[in-house]
Amino acid sequence: MGTGVGITAPFGRLLRALRQSRRLTIEELAEASGISGRAIGDMERGRSRRPHRGTITALAQGLDLDEAAHADLLAAARAARPGARPAEPVRTTPHTLPRGVRDFVGRQAELTELRALAREAAEGAVVAPPVAVVSGPPGSGKTSLAVRLAEEPSTPCPDGAFLVDMRGLDERPLPAEQAVAGLLGSWGAGDAELARLTAEERLARYHDVAAGLCAVLVLDNAGSEAQVRPLLPRAGRLLVVVTSRRTLAGLEGVRRVTLGALRPRESAALLRAVVGAGRVDSEPRAADVVTDLCGHLPLALRVAANWAATRTNWSLDRLAGRLADEDRRLDALSAGDLKVNSAFALSCSRLAPEAARMFRLLSLLPAGDFSAAPAAVLADLPLPDTEDLLEELLEAGLLMTSRQSRYRLHDLLRLYAAARHRSEDGQERSLAARSRLRHWLLDTAVLAGRWYEPDYGMPPADPGRLVALEDREQAARWIRAEGDTWLAAYREAAAHGEHARVVEVAEAMHWFSDHWVSWGHWVEVYERAATAGAALGDAALEATHRNYLAWAYWACARRHDDAVEAATRALRLARAAGDVLQRAWAHAYLGWLWDADEDLSLAADHYLRAAELFTAADDVNGYLQVSCGMIRVLRGAGRAQAAVETCGDIMDALADPRHRDRIPPNVREFTVLTALYAVSFVHLDEERWEEAVEALRAVRGQFDARGWHKQAGKVHLHLAHALARLGEREEAAAEYRAVLAMEGDAPADVRDEAFAGLAALAAGRPAPLTRFSQ
């Protein structure tokens, strides 16, 4: 863009002639139009850029022009458009756009959004031109994205593109007044002219000039709303892109573009672009490790890639090994003047002391994401104060939001926070904070899990409790959301030899575990609990957790032999301890396991023995579980009527007023689910379609919520089969489609059968039936 961009003389002469014909002074026209006298004088002398249409309208109203005279003035202003004059030599200014990265990759969604804003600005169809705020953590590539947009040939900016470093993280950020003066200088104003203007007049001149531009202005590295708000254009076709590590939440009417980590394929593309496709493609696994260890953060990836590119004798596997050591990773991510550590340090240097302390403490949280409550425990602060500090860190770009009002600390920022914590807080404070967090997490896990345990339910009221545990649903949400966090605390307790605490947590989770079979950590939970029981020298306690372990081995890991061994060992321990109830449970689990192995005779023997022992121990909950197992055994033995009667006996026991308070709601729900699912197979075998539909409709959707995807798929499939035979074709088709919608969760044979069922319905016949298997 040329620098001689003052408006042409005809417009100035016309404006002066119109003013003088109305016998108005410049001051009187300024008062009548609302345009500053300085701006009017500059226009008349040809020292201003072409004014915006709104300025022309205001002048026309102040001059009381008719439509024809208004149109003439507008036409004269249009003729003064900078692009209409011969091109002049380009002069490099302090705000010339810097060179963009040639190997820019990814961010296509963000670029698409910014391109649309650039087109919107160029069309000038809005009252005020659009403003984009690009925010994200240090090293996320905010400046690169803004420069990429500005330098794209398709971006409409005939008057050029400019970048101002607002130095938002410096001790003295660039004042808005200085940015205004610098930009006016870049846009053609001379030093002598600027010296004659007050700060207010310079700002007015800035907005006048900006209103005549079709350009892109990047306000890079902004530190606060107050720093950039005066620079946001009021009219015209200038797109302003503000980049900041802060979210600048106080800016109104802006489009927000938030950057996080790159996607794995984008990270790989960046590595290939810098290191070379050949080297990366020859070591794909090592390349994946490198990108993962860089946390898919653009700055870290670029530093690592530069290392590899300048050390051609290095393999990517060697680079991955260099980055694998957490204590040295950040130091390794340094290449010349590119240092990940420096980027993080700059952000942290602007934090208030309490926020900086919170940032350091967050490194002690074991999970990828977290809520405010554990952070409050770590910092030993009230929850409202903690939330304020977390929001400050979020605003500073040192935290990211996650699911359900949770926060996430990037892996590399976690390492940086941990290093700062070690150097500034010391081991004693660290141990105290860790202990405080561990005890709170495990206490809360016990309270939440006991919602599902017989004889407990709602925890005692506590107005100081940091999380809501007012019902079973809230308890389940906490257990799931904080699963990684309380599991880490559980492991730490085991490592510290806190055996009683380990078995207490595992016991509290026992009845809940059926609701989250897909979690994947129950085997570990009960292996540690069984080990803790043995360490305490309590045979009955060890037997209890060996029984739970038998369930976890089979229900969660399908390790049948290990499950049988665990239940058999639990039976021996229970006998030695004289514990009738754990003997009953050991027989119940062995019955279940041999039932799964289709040894119906052995299964029946264990189930009957368990039923006798549960009766002797007056444990109705255990008796109900065994009875559900007996339905399966009776069906396998060909005793369909006995199986149906057993299901009826279960329902009668559940309805018995004597058991109303003895059977917890979750046990009641699980018993109904298990019994009806088991008896549905009896009805299907006997081709009692209406009874099968009734049972399956009652349990539809309940297995899904527990993560039992195989059973969930079979409920939909078998319900579809039964409905098809009852002539309910539309509902049957919906159930077949429900199986297919489960995609990878439903087993392949179940999906194949659903496909066949849909095809059969389309051909006007029910699907051929195979043997109904559980």
Side-chain angles (χ1 to χ4, degrees):
M1 152 182 185
T3 57
V5 292
I7 63 175
T8 56
F11 174 82
R13 287 197 299 268
L14 177 58
L15 176 59
R16 182 183 297 113
L18 288 169
R19 175 178 61 77
Q20 291 174 347
S21 71
R22 267 62 175 176
R23 299 180 182 277
L24 295 174
T25 65
I26 288 179
E27 290 74 16
E28 288 170 335
L29 178 56
E31 183 177 354
S33 65
I35 306 300
S36 73
R38 171 74 68 177
I40 294 172
D42 285 346
M43 285 185 243
E44 291 187 358
R45 290 189 293 272
R47 295 169 56 189
S48 174
R49 287 179 176 272
R50 176 178 65 85
H52 183 256
R53 185 186 186 99
T55 303
I56 304 296
T57 299
L59 289 170
Q61 291 171 348
L63 292 165
D64 194 24
L65 300 182
D66 59 21
E67 289 187 11
H70 184 182
D72 288 343
L73 187 64
L74 190 60
R78 284 176 178 156
R81 180 173 185 160
R85 295 187 308 281
E88 300 181 15
V90 174
R91 176 168 63 90
T92 300
T93 77
H95 303 311
T96 299
L97 202 69
R99 178 178 183 269
V101 295
R102 300 301 97 190
D103 43 25
F104 184 93
V105 300
R107 305 299 192 202
Q108 289 308 305
E110 294 85 354
L111 272 173
T112 298
E113 188 172 1
L114 292 174
R115 288 171 187 141
L117 287 182
R119 289 193 297 271
E120 181 182 321
E123 290 166 2
V126 291
V127 176
V131 174
V133 174
V134 179
S135 61
S140 56
K142 300 176 289 296
T143 303
S144 295
L145 175 66
V147 171
R148 180 69 169 190
L149 170 77
E151 69 183 3
E152 284 188 334
S154 60
T155 299
C157 50
D159 292 333
F162 307 90
L163 182 143
V164 181
D165 183 359
M166 303 302 291
R167 304 200 302 269
L169 294 176
D170 289 4
E171 287 190 17
R172 294 183 179 179
L174 183 73
E177 296 82 0
Q178 190 174 336
V180 164
L183 283 167
L184 285 174
S186 295
W187 293 341
D191 292 341
E193 177 186 355
L194 292 175
R196 293 195 300 270
L197 302 178
T198 66
E200 183 179 336
E201 288 169 333
R202 286 179 186 172
L203 185 59
R205 178 75 180 277
Y206 165 84
H207 282 289
D208 255 355
V209 175
L213 290 175
C214 183
V216 174
L217 171 60
V218 180
L219 300 179
D220 192 39
N221 192 23
S224 68
E225 294 89 342
Q227 190 187 22
V228 299
R229 188 178 280 114
L231 302 174
L232 304 185
R234 301 165 187 163
R237 299 184 296 156
L238 178 67
L239 171 65
V240 173
V241 180
V242 182
T243 73
S244 179
R245 298 184 185 189
R246 308 184 71 85
T247 61
L248 304 181
L251 291 181
E252 59 283 335
V254 300
R255 185 72 62 85
R256 300 192 179 279
V257 179
T258 304
L259 301 186
L262 292 174
R263 297 180 180 88
R265 56 183 172 79
E266 294 172 336
S267 298
L270 177 55
L271 206 60
R272 294 174 88 249
V274 179
V275 178
R279 289 179 65 189
V280 173
D281 292 345
S282 67
E283 294 184 83
R285 291 186 180 179
D288 288 343
V289 173
V290 169
T291 57
D292 285 343
L293 292 174
C294 289
H296 303 281
L297 189 71
L299 175 60
L301 285 164
R302 188 165 294 282
V303 171
N306 285 355
W307 257 93
T310 57
R311 291 160 177 79
T312 55
N313 61 324
W314 277 41
S315 66
L316 291 184
D317 188 60
R318 181 178 177 184
L319 176 60
R322 176 181 173 85
L323 298 175
D325 185 347
E326 287 193 351
D327 292 337
R328 299 181 56 195
R329 187 178 307 161
L330 289 175
D331 290 334
L333 288 172
S334 173
D337 62 352
L338 282 180
K339 301 177 188 294
V340 173
N341 255 334
S342 299
F344 294 166
L346 194 57
S347 287
C348 291
S349 68
R350 313 313 299 164
L351 294 175
E354 279 298 309
R357 173 176 175 265
M358 175 63 77
F359 174 69
R360 298 193 301 270
L361 286 170
L362 292 179
S363 66
L364 301 179
L365 287 171
D369 67 353
F370 58 92
S371 63
V377 174
L378 270 175
D380 199 18
L381 290 172
L383 193 58
D385 294 350
T386 298
E387 290 171 339
D388 289 345
L389 292 174
L390 293 176
E391 288 300 314
E392 185 176 340
L393 293 174
L394 183 67
E395 174 66 18
L398 294 170
L399 276 185
M400 294 175 283
T401 55
S402 185
R403 56 192 171 87
Q404 299 175 345
S405 301
R406 296 170 69 81
Y407 302 89
R408 190 169 76 83
L409 189 63
H410 189 277
D411 289 345
L412 295 180
L413 280 167
R414 183 186 301 279
L415 294 180
Y416 181 75
R420 294 283 295 266
H421 177 65
R422 287 192 297 270
S423 64
E424 297 183 36
D425 298 315
Q427 185 176 14
E428 185 176 343
R429 290 181 181 177
S430 177
L431 291 174
R434 285 178 181 275
S435 176
R436 191 164 56 243
L437 178 63
R438 180 173 74 254
H439 288 298
W440 178 82
L441 284 169
L442 298 184
D443 284 345
T444 308
V446 168
L447 289 174
R450 280 178 174 169
W451 257 111
Y452 292 80
E453 190 176 355
D455 304 324
Y456 282 98
M458 179 185 291
D462 180 1
R465 186 172 293 129
L466 294 177
V467 295
L469 298 176
E470 303 305 316
D471 54 44
R472 291 169 57 227
E473 287 70 26
Q474 288 181 343
R477 282 196 295 271
W478 186 89
I479 293 171
R480 291 171 182 265
E482 299 293 351
D484 290 344
T485 311
W486 69 255
L487 178 63
Y490 182 80
R491 290 168 175 163
E492 194 173 326
H496 281 76
E498 297 172 2
H499 305 306
R501 174 47 66 95
V502 168
V503 295
E504 180 187 30
V505 173
E507 179 64 48
M509 289 293 168
H510 167 56
W511 287 97
F512 172 78
S513 58
D514 275 324
H515 297 260
W516 199 17
V517 175
S518 60
W519 184 38
H521 295 288
W522 295 118
V523 167
E524 178 188 353
V525 167
Y526 290 111
E527 282 180 340
R528 291 185 183 278
T531 300
L536 290 169
D538 189 326
L541 195 59
E542 183 183 354
T544 299
H545 292 279
R546 295 282 173 198
N547 274 325
Y548 299 160
L549 182 56
W551 168 85
Y553 276 141
W554 181 237
C556 305
R558 285 297 182 260
R559 291 162 58 179
H560 186 272
D561 291 347
D562 288 336
V564 170
E565 194 279 331
T568 302
R569 188 170 175 184
L571 183 58
R572 289 197 302 268
L573 287 164
R575 282 174 178 159
D579 191 315
V580 174
L581 189 57
Q582 289 309 314
R583 285 173 58 199
W585 278 113
H587 280 296
Y589 285 122
L590 287 166
W592 174 56
L593 291 165
W594 291 120
D595 179 7
D597 203 41
E598 298 188 0
D599 190 333
L600 300 184
S601 176
L602 194 52
D605 288 345
H606 282 293
Y607 277 144
L608 290 171
R609 185 64 182 132
E612 293 172 359
L613 292 168
F614 280 128
T615 301
D618 192 26
D619 188 315
V620 66
N621 294 296
Y623 184 85
L624 288 171
Q625 306 313 304
V626 170
S627 297
C628 291
M630 282 301 298
I631 297 175
R632 294 192 298 271
V633 171
L634 290 168
R635 178 214 173 200
R639 298 175 60 189
Q641 187 57 38
V644 172
E645 290 172 358
T646 300
C647 183
D649 292 341
I650 291 171
M651 299 305 163
D652 290 341
L654 291 170
D656 191 329
R658 294 174 297 174
H659 301 321
R660 181 180 297 117
D661 298 327
R662 300 183 65 198
I663 305 174
N666 60 298
V667 177
R668 187 179 296 275
E669 291 172 8
F670 186 72
T671 301
V672 171
L673 172 63
T674 307
L676 291 180
Y677 181 67
V679 84
S680 72
F681 288 89
V682 179
H683 296 317
L684 292 165
D685 290 340
E686 299 293 309
E687 299 188 1
R688 296 199 288 262
W689 307 120
E690 291 182 358
E691 290 88 341
V693 166
E694 182 181 0
L696 290 167
R697 278 177 174 162
V699 301
R700 179 174 47 190
Q702 295 187 47
F703 283 118
D704 311 67
R706 289 172 166 81
W708 293 22
H709 302 302
K710 175 182 176 182
Q711 290 82 354
K714 289 197 171 185
V715 168
H716 291 299
L717 178 68
H718 296 162
L719 181 53
H721 285 335
L723 288 165
R725 276 157 178 76
L726 290 173
E728 302 290 342
R729 297 169 54 83
E730 188 173 335
E731 189 179 352
E735 293 299 328
Y736 284 132
R737 286 193 291 268
V739 176
L740 302 180
M742 296 177 67
E743 298 180 347
D745 288 335
D749 60 329
V750 174
R751 287 173 52 80
D752 291 344
E753 201 170 333
F755 272 119
L758 274 175
L761 281 179
R765 64 179 186 278
L769 294 181
T770 57
R771 181 178 181 272
F772 294 103
S773 63
Q774 299 187 45

